[in-house]
Amino acid sequence: MIRFLARRLVQMALLFVVFLSIVWLLLQAMPGDISDTLVGNPDIPREVRFELRQRLGLDQPLHIQYITYITNFFRGEMGVSFSRYPADVSTVIWQHLPRTIVLFLTATVFAFWLGFKSGKLIAWGRGGRSEQAFILGGVFLQTVFYPWFAIVMMWVFGFYLGWFPISRFIDARLWQGSPYDANDLFEQMILSTLLVTVVYVVGRVLIKRFATTVTMEARLRQALVLVTVGGLILFWYLHPARTYVADIAHHTVLPVVTLGLVTFGATMLLTRSAMLETLGEDYILTARAKGLPDRVIRDRHAARNAMLPVTTSLVLSLAFVIGGGIVTESVFSWPGTGQLLLQAVMVSDIPLAAGILAVTGVLALVGHLVADVLYTVLDPRIRIT
Amino acid sequence: MTISVENLETRQVDPTKPLLEVDRLVMHYKIKAGEVSAVEDVTFTVHQGEAVGLVGESGCGKTSVALSLMRLLPNNAEYVSGQIRLDGEDLLQLTDEEMRTRRWKDIAMVFQGAMNSWNPVYRVGDQIREVLDTHFRGQMTYEQQREHMERLFAAVGLPGEMLDRYPHEFSGGMRQRAVIAMALACSPQLIIADEPTTALDVIVQDQILKELKRIQTELGMSIIYISHDIAVIAEVTDSLGVMYAGKLVEYGPTTEVFARPKHPYAYLLLKSTPSITGPRRQLAPLEGEPPDLLAPPTGCRFHPRCPFATERCAIEEPPLADIGGGHRVACWHWEQVPDLEEALLR
Ligand SMILES: Nc1ncnc2c1ncn2[C@@H]1O[C@H](COP(=O)(O)OP(=O)(O)O)[C@@H](O)[C@H]1O
Ligand SMILES: [Mg+2]
């Protein structure tokens, strides 16, 4: 396992350097350099431009620049954003990244969880009347033109029903004169959720280890859900910044649901077909012959094996992060990296755009690594050495 | 590898007592085009400690009979009539939940696709433990379960450490042995083995059959062997039934049926099977294929392929009649079968 991880990390680093080089090449392919864009600005004297070139190392030969760029990147330095001068690219990204990650992670986790559950159930209860409705809905969600769908969602729930704010991350009027910083608060929200998740996972493991009967296990699990989720809600309810937190949460719902629904449809359909396939396997017949209860056959045997292709799709959906992110974030004016990338490209803020692409690349690579490890946990036939 | 069944529970056997009585069982599959008459009026009895064989070409309804007994048929199957009595109790009258608790505990099964009987993602031991968890809930501690499983593995000649392995780490023969061990887990009264060794090579096949036979006799269980290969199961069974196109066409003591088959189909099936262990036999052709059971032939279902067929065979269905000594044959011309050999040689 350790050796596998070490080798994979080296591979990933090499792959990343290649990726970064391509990004850098694209950067070089742009005519001129950043300082050129300052030429037309009468407020900036010539000396500043030279100083800037020097400071940015743009007067160095190309190969030196290349090496500097790569090494700087690994030191976490991605240059200066042009459109937000003099802010660092890394600072700008760092501000926006949590929002994107939260948007995606929440949408993906819920979509996969629900999609898997419902796909499992409709495959198990074959021929039920709801099956057709679910399939139809799933196909619609999977094939719908996403930007259109996002706008429809926004129109229906934000405008027509008025349940959710139409756009942005916070309500500016509410936050005027607020003693809190939205980013800090958001980070605290993430941290508390992570903490609760860890507690939940540890709790589940402990329950599995120490529960003696099935009913006891089920009870404890319910209690655990109550304690963790209840605890989280209670904590923020008692928190002095509660209205602000509620505002952020309120703004988060619609983009998360919209993005999640699309993933949900695809996951459900995939789970259903994977499940139907496993249900035809010989070991399912064996499980039935063994007299196992239906629920055990469904969950422990059929669904467990249907998880393998669904995990694959989860990984592949990582590629969706960039595209889906840009669309969702643009439609909902969600200030994440997707929107940032779009803006950066539109105003030719090349360092920023390159930085975002690079970070996305890192995320995708890490996602693949996690998925590979997950595979080996899920399927003992896959060995890692 | 030591093989010992000493540590497993043995059953007192009264060979005259019927254990499983299949009584005029009729089972059809419903498909769009109509009804597939897969099991048609099948009657036979398995006594305590008895080994019964069912043979017939593939597509003759053997698996359908096996799955009927366990009530494991696919959704499109329908029991039309008949009874399946286990210890006098009709299994077809039980609720689904009652039937579920009988499975494996009373009747265990070794499947045709036994290679794939194991779920690839769980350790073999855990898949056996699952059976114990279901049928002996709360009656065995984790350690007792482990001990029991090690005894089971010893009985089929597998080392206990193999319990911690995954199915893909087993060879085909070992997987099949492990399936047999699992089948013994609840000391069932009856084991149904549907083509238990078909996918294995001949040597392993022979070994496993012999071991299964020995375990079965020593533990006092009954067994139904199903195979398309009459020579393979003739060696290990007491009674033998021959199925053709969903019907039982001949049934009797194995020695009788094997030595003197009376139904032309049984005769031709036997003659067309090369034997590795027995004396060399003249190979006679069994031409054609079993009929489509969506529209089986009228009268005797074998008549289109039968060298003795007369007009009567196409119209009137022969009953499964006793010709003495518990030997039953469904043929109008069974007395002429000894002449068949001559006819064929000419
Ligand atoms: N689920 C099903 N639906 C319709 N027909 C089936 C089904 N399963 C089996 N059959 C048909 O029933 C007949 C008997 O099949 P089977 O019991 O598998 O025979 P065997 O085990 O002797 O090869 C075959 O004609 C087969 O095509
Ligand atoms: Mg079969």
Side-chain angles (χ1 to χ4, degrees):
Chain A
M1 187 72 171
I2 305 280
R3 262 181 56 198
F4 164 79
L5 282 180
R7 220 177 48 207
R8 274 304 300 266
L9 283 174
V10 172
Q11 273 175 13
M12 275 167 59
L14 287 177
L15 202 63
F16 184 69
V17 170
V18 172
F19 176 75
L20 212 54
S21 308
I22 293 170
V23 170
W24 183 80
L25 271 177
L26 288 175
L27 240 156
Q28 293 304 314
M30 301 292 292
D33 60 48
I34 292 169
S35 66
D36 290 346
T37 52
L38 301 179
V39 171
N41 190 336
D43 295 344
I44 297 171
R46 244 178 93 80
E47 302 80 66
V48 174
R49 188 183 156 196
F50 278 121
E51 199 207 298
L52 182 70
R53 276 184 70 100
Q54 213 164 21
R55 195 160 74 76
L56 296 180
L58 291 175
D59 52 347
Q60 306 272 335
L62 268 186
H63 67 276
I64 302 283
Q65 282 189 41
Y66 171 72
I67 291 169
T68 319
Y69 180 77
I70 301 282
T71 44
N72 274 353
F73 189 92
F74 281 97
R75 278 200 234 119
E77 238 184 86
M78 292 180 275
V80 179
S81 164
F82 156 53
S83 60
R84 293 163 195 250
Y85 187 82
D88 264 4
V89 166
S90 45
T91 319
V92 176
I93 292 180
W94 203 238
Q95 253 174 21
H96 290 71
L97 196 60
R99 302 188 197 128
T100 296
I101 291 183
V102 163
L103 177 66
F104 258 93
L105 218 58
T106 327
T108 310
V109 166
F110 274 109
F112 267 88
W113 180 64
L114 277 178
F116 190 75
K117 278 222 149 165
S118 44
K120 176 180 89 176
L121 291 178
I122 58 174
W124 183 254
R126 278 242 72 183
R129 221 178 304 149
S130 55
E131 190 185 10
Q132 292 307 319
F134 266 101
I135 293 174
L136 219 66
V139 171
F140 169 76
L141 289 172
Q142 198 181 26
T143 51
V144 71
F145 181 57
Y146 181 58
W148 175 81
F149 178 68
I151 290 170
V152 168
M153 285 292 286
M154 192 168 86
W155 188 80
V156 172
F157 292 100
F159 191 72
Y160 185 72
L161 294 171
W163 289 356
F164 298 104
I166 292 186
S167 65
R168 301 205 192 291
F169 172 60
I170 51 173
D171 185 347
R173 267 167 306 160
L174 177 73
W175 285 74
Q176 225 161 34
S178 148
Y180 299 99
D181 178 59
N183 283 333
D184 288 350
L185 219 48
F186 192 55
E187 257 164 43
Q188 285 176 35
M189 287 167 75
I190 298 172
L191 279 181
S192 59
T193 314
L194 273 182
L195 188 74
V196 164
T197 312
V198 170
V199 169
Y200 179 78
V201 171
V202 170
R204 276 292 287 265
V205 172
L206 286 180
I207 288 174
K208 198 165 168 55
R209 180 77 187 75
F210 292 109
T212 43
T213 65
V214 177
T215 35
M216 178 175 161
E217 197 178 325
R219 291 258 172 73
L220 284 175
R221 255 193 246 165
Q222 285 167 1
L224 184 67
V225 171
L226 221 67
V227 167
T228 47
V229 177
L232 187 66
I233 293 174
L234 196 69
F235 171 75
W236 283 112
Y237 186 76
L238 298 175
H239 198 279
R242 142 178 141 203
T243 44
Y244 300 105
V245 170
D247 185 50
I248 294 181
H250 198 197
H251 278 81
T252 318
V253 175
L254 200 51
V256 165
V257 168
T258 306
L259 187 60
L261 272 177
V262 176
T263 320
F264 166 79
T267 312
M268 179 181 66
L269 292 180
L270 185 68
T271 309
R272 177 179 162 271
S273 61
M275 192 62 184
L276 287 180
E277 202 168 300
T278 46
L279 283 175
E281 296 282 351
D282 287 335
Y283 55 77
I284 298 295
L285 186 62
T286 308
R288 294 211 295 138
K290 278 153 78 173
L292 305 183
D294 278 359
R295 211 175 47 81
V296 172
I297 301 173
R298 185 191 70 197
D299 293 349
R300 203 189 295 164
H301 288 278
R304 174 65 172 68
N305 286 270
M307 238 155 106
L308 301 173
V310 178
T311 315
T312 314
S313 112
L314 182 68
V315 180
L316 295 181
S317 79
L318 286 174
F320 189 62
V321 168
I322 305 176
I326 291 176
V327 175
T328 315
E329 292 182 4
S330 304
V331 171
F332 292 99
S333 313
W334 183 259
T337 47
Q339 207 192 19
L340 197 61
L341 177 64
L342 196 67
Q343 285 168 0
V345 169
M346 284 198 298
V347 300
S348 311
D349 187 347
I350 302 305
L352 184 57
I356 295 173
L357 285 176
V359 169
T360 317
V362 172
L363 287 183
L365 284 173
V366 170
H368 275 267
L369 178 69
V370 170
D372 274 355
V373 174
L374 212 61
Y375 279 156
T376 61
V377 173
L378 286 178
D379 190 346
R381 286 168 296 181
I382 299 172
R383 285 231 200 117
I384 43 174
T385 39
Chain B
M1 257 194 292
T2 51
I3 300 181
S4 65
V5 290
E6 286 130 49
N7 298 318
L8 294 177
E9 186 192 331
T10 56
R11 204 184 289 281
Q12 272 327 102
V13 168
D14 179 355
T16 61
K17 275 210 181 134
L19 173 70
L20 178 84
E21 296 160 282
V22 181
D23 194 358
R24 314 211 63 161
L25 183 67
V26 181
M27 192 281 292
H28 292 173
Y29 293 110
K30 291 217 155 109
I31 56 174
K32 282 222 179 70
E35 290 197 13
V36 179
S37 127
V39 180
E40 205 59 51
D41 199 12
V42 167
T43 299
F44 67 95
T45 300
V46 181
H47 295 88
Q48 288 186 9
E50 190 183 17
V52 171
L54 283 182
V55 285
E57 284 160 293
S58 132
C60 282
K62 304 179 302 292
T63 300
S64 299
V65 169
L67 294 180
S68 296
L69 302 182
M70 292 281 273
R71 278 180 52 184
L72 282 176
L73 291 164
N75 288 334
N76 66 335
E78 188 194 14
Y79 291 99
V80 180
S81 61
Q83 289 190 335
I84 298 166
R85 291 189 298 272
L86 186 72
D87 272 333
E89 184 181 35
D90 189 0
L91 295 181
L92 298 183
Q93 300 303 321
L94 299 179
T95 63
D96 286 349
E97 183 58 17
E98 283 169 339
M99 188 63 214
R100 179 180 74 73
T101 57
R102 300 300 167 87
R103 292 193 190 118
W104 220 260
K105 196 163 188 192
D106 289 341
I107 311 178
M109 194 156 178
V110 178
F111 283 102
Q112 186 161 9
M115 296 299 107
N116 308 320
S117 288
W118 297 103
N119 188 332
V121 305
Y122 296 116
R123 292 171 207 279
V124 166
D126 290 339
Q127 297 187 53
I128 301 178
R129 193 188 300 281
E130 208 172 37
V131 171
L132 303 175
D133 280 340
T134 305
H135 296 290
F136 303 113
R137 162 155 294 166
Q139 295 168 35
M140 283 172 117
T141 64
Y142 193 87
E143 285 72 27
Q144 283 170 333
Q145 288 179 334
R146 176 75 194 193
E147 238 174 80
H148 182 59
M149 293 194 291
E150 277 174 6
R151 283 197 296 266
L152 293 172
F153 258 37
V156 296
L158 288 174
E161 307 91 71
M162 295 288 289
L163 285 167
D164 300 321
R165 300 279 183 80
Y166 287 97
H168 69 271
E169 297 172 285
F170 284 59
S171 70
M174 277 151 72
R175 247 180 269 181
Q176 195 60 313
R177 282 169 199 271
V179 171
I180 293 171
M182 180 158 74
L184 301 175
C186 305
S187 315
Q189 293 171 280
L190 177 67
I191 291 185
I192 302 172
D194 187 359
E195 313 261 5
T197 55
T198 301
L200 301 173
D201 67 69
V202 186
I203 312 263
V204 181
Q205 185 173 334
D206 200 49
Q207 270 177 5
I208 290 188
L209 272 186
K210 284 199 175 116
E211 269 163 37
L212 185 54
K213 173 73 192 160
R214 202 168 60 84
I215 293 169
Q216 174 245 329
T217 7
E218 286 181 27
L219 296 186
M221 295 183 303
S222 306
I223 195 162
I224 299 177
Y225 283 101
I226 293 175
S227 176
H228 61 271
D229 188 346
I230 197 167
V232 165
I233 56 173
E235 289 177 45
V236 289
T237 56
D238 307 313
S239 299
L240 193 56
V242 181
M243 279 196 77
Y244 184 74
K247 304 207 60 150
L248 201 56
V249 293
E250 180 161 356
Y251 191 90
T254 303
T255 44
E256 270 296 304
V257 178
F258 194 63
R260 285 174 287 281
K262 288 294 188 286
H263 195 283
Y265 175 66
Y267 180 84
L268 291 171
L269 188 67
L270 185 61
K271 291 294 170 196
S272 63
T273 318
S275 160
I276 11 153
T277 45
R280 286 183 65 185
R281 285 189 306 249
Q282 181 81 34
L283 285 191
L286 178 60
E287 275 155 12
E289 281 170 12
D292 182 2
L293 296 182
L294 203 55
T298 54
C300 171
R301 291 186 173 185
F302 187 56
H303 85 262
R305 294 169 77 184
C306 181
F308 291 104
T310 56
E311 245 171 73
R312 186 189 191 190
C313 301
I315 303 162
E316 244 182 300
E317 193 171 346
L320 190 64
D322 202 322
I323 59 166
H327 194 162
R328 294 181 292 153
V329 183
C331 177
W332 296 122
H333 308 293
W334 64 268
E335 278 158 308
Q336 295 168 23
V337 169
D339 306 336
L340 186 61
E341 191 137 36
E342 274 174 51
L344 281 171
L345 287 175
R346 254 188 274 121

